[in-house]
Amino acid sequence: MTWLAAFVLGVVQGLTEFLPISSTAHLRVVAALAGWPDPGAAFTAVTQLGTESAVLLYFRRDIAGVLRAWTRSLRTPQLRADPQARLGWYVIVGTVPIAVLGFVFQDQIETALRDLRLVAATLIVFGVVLGVADRMAANRRPLEALTAGHAVAFGFAQAMALVPGVSRSGGTISVGLMLGYTRQAAARYAFLLAIPAVLASGGLELTKIGQGPTPQWGPTLLATLVAFGVGYAVIAWFLRYIATHRFTPFVAYRIVAGVGLFALIGAGVLTPTS
């Protein structure tokens, strides 16, 4: 991977990780359009450490409060009713589905699921899902109303993002809207829920960087740092945006992008597999 490709893909990762349009799909498609090799699942997972570091910084007070309350609840059972302590437990519960499914389908995630035809289909289908969820949203429940059952539902939605094109934030936000949560609450929980999964996945994939077809350490580190800076700015903008706007532009973008990707594949401009 060249330094230019690393910089561009870092920008793409930072721009798309928190928007409901799938960063994994965009890394795959942008690389293909530029004529670069598929950056691969390992590169994607490691650059996500950059955007996840932006989450840790942006939500540092929220995270510190949850960790304090959760730790105290381990020693004092009466404190487990505290909303912050419960949120800590629900993040753990919600992480189980992606941990199990990611382990079981690891080979498919790194190979067959990166087919551009599948990426195009998931962009369209889950764009429609997001649009329907946004239209039917009651937009009433705060994050403090989260239950164990809803945490599991969020968790399975996050696990679906193992398929490029689904979008981690898009899937979890869609489920949150269907369950009646506000857009801000669904987005905040989506960001917090991603922390254990992304850190674990990125940590495991670190060992593969520089081996075989994966990019070398230098370009990967550059992409990760760029993703951190861009991602931090996107979080702040996105949370302000959804406070007063629907997800309609993202729905339209996903559908147009998916249709356009199918057209490029059909015209022979792109080959569906790397």
Side-chain angles (χ1 to χ4, degrees):
M1 177 179 289
T2 66
W3 292 100
L4 174 61
F7 178 82
V8 171
L9 294 179
V11 171
V12 170
Q13 169 63 26
L15 285 173
T16 58
E17 173 66 20
F18 305 114
L19 305 182
I21 56 177
S22 180
S23 62
T24 306
H26 280 76
L27 289 175
R28 175 75 175 91
V29 172
V30 169
L33 287 172
W36 301 327
D38 180 357
F43 175 85
T44 300
V46 172
T47 56
Q48 285 176 345
L49 291 176
T51 43
E52 209 55 39
S53 296
V55 171
L56 294 174
L57 179 61
Y58 189 87
F59 291 106
R60 60 191 180 278
R61 293 187 180 86
D62 300 58
I63 295 168
V66 170
L67 286 175
R68 281 196 300 268
W70 179 79
T71 303
R72 290 170 183 166
S73 74
L74 294 176
R75 301 190 302 267
T76 310
Q78 294 86 342
L79 296 178
R80 292 174 188 170
D82 180 272
Q84 293 283 74
R86 284 192 292 109
L87 184 57
W89 286 109
Y90 292 157
V91 167
I92 295 172
V93 170
T95 302
V96 172
I98 196 170
V100 173
L101 294 175
F103 176 78
V104 172
F105 296 104
Q106 182 177 3
D107 291 342
Q108 291 85 346
I109 292 167
E110 296 177 352
T111 54
L113 295 183
R114 299 184 69 82
D115 188 305
L116 289 178
R117 291 165 296 193
L118 179 60
V119 172
T122 53
L123 281 171
I124 295 170
V125 170
F126 285 91
V128 172
V129 170
L130 176 62
V132 171
D134 197 24
R135 288 295 173 184
M136 65 180 287
N139 206 38
R140 288 196 302 264
R141 280 178 177 265
L143 191 53
E144 291 74 18
L146 186 66
T147 66
H150 288 177
V152 172
F154 272 107
F156 276 104
Q158 177 180 233
M160 294 174 67
L162 292 169
V163 181
V166 173
S167 170
R168 187 191 309 272
S169 64
T172 48
I173 289 172
S174 294
V175 166
L177 295 176
M178 291 177 183
L179 293 173
Y181 291 90
T182 65
R183 296 183 185 89
Q184 299 96 312
R188 281 181 173 271
Y189 184 60
F191 294 164
L192 294 175
L193 181 61
I195 293 173
V198 171
L199 294 182
S201 175
L204 289 172
E205 296 294 339
L206 278 172
T207 60
K208 300 179 182 178
I209 298 299
Q211 298 182 12
T214 61
Q216 296 300 306
W217 268 105
T220 302
L221 180 59
L222 172 63
T224 303
L225 292 173
V226 170
F228 166 77
V230 176
Y232 188 84
V234 170
I235 294 174
W237 174 83
F238 184 61
L239 290 176
R240 288 196 302 269
Y241 177 86
I242 62 175
T244 55
H245 296 79
R246 290 184 175 273
F247 290 102
T248 306
F250 302 109
V251 173
Y253 173 82
R254 289 181 63 105
I255 294 173
V256 170
V259 171
L261 186 52
F262 270 128
L264 290 173
I265 294 170
V269 176
L270 295 176
T271 55
T273 56
S274 58

